[in-house]
Amino acid sequence: MSRRRGGYQLLVDPHDVDLHRSRRLLVQAGQAVHRDDDVEALELYDTACALWSGIPLSDLSTEWAARARVALEREWLSARTSRLAALLRLNRQGEAIPELFDLADGNPLDERIAAMLMLSLHRDGRQRDALRCYARIRAALVEELGDEPGAELRLLHTRMISRDHGLVRTGGPRTAGRAQGAGVFSHLPMV
């Protein structure tokens, strides 16, 4: 600890701070995704996410802490959704569904989360639930924002109601080569 104008500064090795360790692991996970190694990516996401707990800076009530808390919570949400996307690419939607329901409840206007939940439910043989999920986010978007879902979410809905077999993932873990047929859904774990 060192004294500085206006207070004290805590000097800590970044390798000893969970936030910095988590960020490094998330970068490595992103690199694994880029290499099409979702097995390694999922392990890294799991390790990174395990370092997060509780509400960031919960004992501070300053304006700076409030802004930092919002930014950190967004970062945490991004890490969780990236982890869930890896699960879906590995065709492990059954593991993803409970967390996706929680995230959808907490983020009712997030189309990416809705798309992942819809796809997970669809792949799990729960088409009615997947279509209800679409109806729920559509109603929320119309009511809250006065707008319809984006083109990609609408296309996913259309593919589901037309029973597009391309939405059902076949094959094993993705460790080399991009999944075929991703098309406009390349940023989502569709196929």
Side-chain angles (χ1 to χ4, degrees):
M1 186 176 310
S2 68
R3 175 115 168 99
R4 293 182 59 178
R5 186 176 138 185
Y8 292 92
Q9 179 181 19
L10 183 61
L11 302 173
V12 179
D13 184 342
H15 295 292
D16 294 332
V17 178
D18 286 348
L19 177 62
H20 296 298
R21 290 174 44 213
S22 176
R23 285 175 173 164
R24 279 192 304 279
L25 290 164
L26 292 172
V27 167
Q28 292 171 6
Q31 292 167 343
V33 168
H34 187 69
R35 291 191 312 273
D36 295 329
D37 189 346
D38 288 312
V39 172
E40 181 183 350
L42 183 59
E43 290 173 12
L44 291 162
Y45 283 129
D46 284 343
T47 303
C49 288
L51 295 171
W52 290 77
S53 65
I55 299 171
L57 308 170
S58 61
D59 56 342
L60 299 176
S61 59
T62 66
E63 191 176 311
W64 170 86
R67 285 192 312 271
R69 194 171 15 261
V70 168
L72 289 169
E73 287 171 348
R74 284 186 188 138
E75 192 173 333
W76 170 229
L77 179 62
S78 176
R80 290 175 71 189
T81 56
S82 294
R83 178 189 168 276
L84 290 164
L87 272 175
L88 294 182
R89 288 189 303 272
L90 291 169
N91 206 29
R92 292 168 56 182
Q93 58 275 349
E95 295 173 51
I97 289 171
E99 188 172 357
L100 284 167
F101 267 119
D102 288 342
L103 288 177
D105 285 344
N107 302 278
L109 302 177
D110 190 311
E111 293 188 40
R112 182 170 192 243
I113 291 170
M116 288 193 301
L117 178 56
M118 289 168 57
L119 181 64
S120 295
L121 292 167
H122 180 79
R123 286 182 177 172
D124 202 43
R126 298 168 58 184
Q127 285 74 20
R128 180 177 290 172
D129 292 334
L131 295 174
R132 283 186 190 139
C133 178
Y134 178 81
R136 188 172 31 249
I137 191 169
R138 182 186 175 278
L141 288 166
V142 169
E143 182 177 323
E144 296 290 322
L145 305 177
D147 200 7
E148 293 287 330
E152 291 179 353
L153 193 60
R154 289 192 319 267
L155 181 57
L156 174 60
H157 177 252
T158 300
R159 289 178 71 185
M160 284 182 177
I161 59 176
S162 67
R163 300 195 185 276
D164 182 339
H165 296 290
L167 293 177
V168 179
R169 182 157 172 96
T170 58
R174 190 178 71 125
T175 56
R178 287 260 170 224
Q180 293 182 343
V184 296
F185 297 112
S186 60
H187 74 284
L188 294 173
M190 295 299 164
V191 288

